[in-house]
Amino acid sequence: MSAAISSGPTTGRAPAILMSLFFAVIVLGPVAWALATSFKTEVEAVAVPPTLWPNKATLENYFKVFRDQSFARDFFNSVIYAVGAVVLALLVGIPAGYAAARFTFKGKRALMLVILATSMVPGVALLVPTYYLLDTVGLLNSGIVVTIILSARIIPQTVWFIANFVEAVPVEIEESAFMDGANRFEIIWNLILPLIRPGIAAVATIGIVTTWNDYITVAVFAPDVAKRTLQVALVNQVFDAVGISWSYMMAFVVIASMPVILMFGLVQKWFISGLTAGAVKG
């Protein structure tokens, strides 16, 4: 009887465990294949039948990536665009989210729905009119304009997230601070921001990943090679007239993915707690 009872929960979890393993293989399989290919020579990378792991691992593909004169420039552009867009989104989203959470005004609900609706408009639908506008005023290939466009795409979700995080903070805390003589700015800077720090980390992480992986914005609005990012450089290799070097490309993919992977590992604790705090209003 005791054996049957103890095996019951394990048996009940078996389908969930198998399903989790199945999806893990689907998600991690391509990643493992890319990583293995990055250590292969080009001859082995295109060999038939393929090998799961290189017979003789090499780091030459990674050396080639770092020796590429344009890699450092493309990497720098990716960092500037992503960090700049997220900083700008937070500068706009934090005050707007706080106002949405704490102030009551006519049309507030409609305004928040409009902000949410703007995030649902496909970015591709705005490419042509935005391109013609920037071309007319001579702002194509402007890093500042690209940063603003990337920021505009993540501001709506930033406002909504920040509003939820602020609403999770009891309003009585602010009322006590007001009674002690603090003004609105001091309350936001010294009280609200430290309390919603995990939420800000979650918003920043989502924003960094979104902008870092963006291809179409930079490719369309900054066609100049000097303004391109790692993602644009990666896609350009597919259309290279010389042909695709799969081992080199996989090494490039691994290196281009590492910054966001490392960043997520560093802020993982804040990211998870931030999403949890935003899901429950106090």
Side-chain angles (χ1 to χ4, degrees):
M1 176 68 70
S2 61
I5 294 176
S6 60
S7 63
T10 304
T11 304
R13 291 197 301 266
I17 295 175
L18 292 176
M19 187 64 67
S20 299
L21 290 175
F22 174 74
F23 283 110
V25 170
I26 292 178
V27 173
L28 297 179
V31 177
W33 184 263
L35 184 62
T37 304
S38 69
F39 291 106
K40 297 178 181 179
T41 62
E42 187 59 25
V43 174
E44 189 176 2
V46 298
V48 179
T51 56
L52 294 178
W53 189 254
N55 296 322
K56 186 178 181 181
T58 176
L59 294 175
E60 181 59 27
N61 297 309
Y62 290 91
F63 293 147
K64 287 182 180 179
V65 173
F66 288 115
R67 284 198 300 262
D68 190 340
Q69 296 180 355
S70 63
F71 174 80
R73 180 197 61 210
D74 298 339
F75 179 83
F76 178 77
N77 290 339
S78 294
V79 172
I80 292 299
Y81 291 153
V83 174
V86 170
V87 170
L88 183 57
L90 289 176
L91 289 177
V92 175
I94 290 177
Y98 177 85
R102 289 293 189 251
F103 299 152
T104 301
F105 51 88
K106 186 176 181 180
K108 170 183 171 180
R109 180 175 179 81
L111 177 61
M112 292 299 292
L113 290 176
V114 169
I115 293 176
L116 180 62
T118 58
S119 65
M120 300 179 184
V121 178
V124 178
L126 302 176
L127 286 180
V128 174
T130 306
Y131 180 88
Y132 276 112
L133 175 62
L134 296 180
D135 189 32
T136 301
V137 298
L139 289 178
L140 286 178
N141 290 314
S142 171
I144 296 178
V145 171
V146 170
T147 303
I148 293 174
I149 293 175
L150 291 172
S151 178
R153 292 185 176 177
I154 61 176
I155 283 177
Q157 67 182 26
T158 301
V159 173
W160 271 84
F161 271 114
I162 294 298
N164 286 333
F165 297 139
V166 174
E167 287 180 357
V169 179
V171 68
E172 290 78 11
I173 297 179
E174 293 184 51
E175 292 175 350
S176 299
F178 274 124
M179 294 180 63
D180 291 337
N183 57 41
R184 183 73 65 179
F185 176 80
E186 291 173 337
I187 290 175
I188 295 176
W189 183 260
N190 297 320
L191 187 62
I192 298 298
L193 290 185
L195 290 176
I196 65 171
R197 188 179 301 167
I200 296 176
V203 172
T205 301
I206 295 174
I208 288 287
V209 173
T210 301
T211 53
W212 182 270
N213 293 325
D214 187 280
Y215 161 76
I216 194 67
T217 301
V218 180
V220 173
F221 302 128
D224 187 355
V225 175
K227 301 293 184 179
R228 73 181 185 180
T229 59
L230 291 176
Q231 288 67 32
V232 176
L234 178 62
V235 175
N236 287 350
Q237 295 181 37
V238 178
F239 302 102
D240 194 331
V242 178
I244 303 174
S245 174
W246 291 107
S247 56
Y248 175 86
M249 179 178 288
M250 291 304 103
F252 196 105
V253 168
V254 172
I255 295 174
S257 303
M258 287 307 298
V260 290
I261 294 175
L262 293 175
M263 183 203 64
F264 184 81
L266 292 174
V267 301
Q268 181 180 10
K269 181 178 180 181
W270 280 8
F271 179 78
I272 296 175
S273 61
L275 290 181
T276 304
V280 181
K281 298 179 181 180

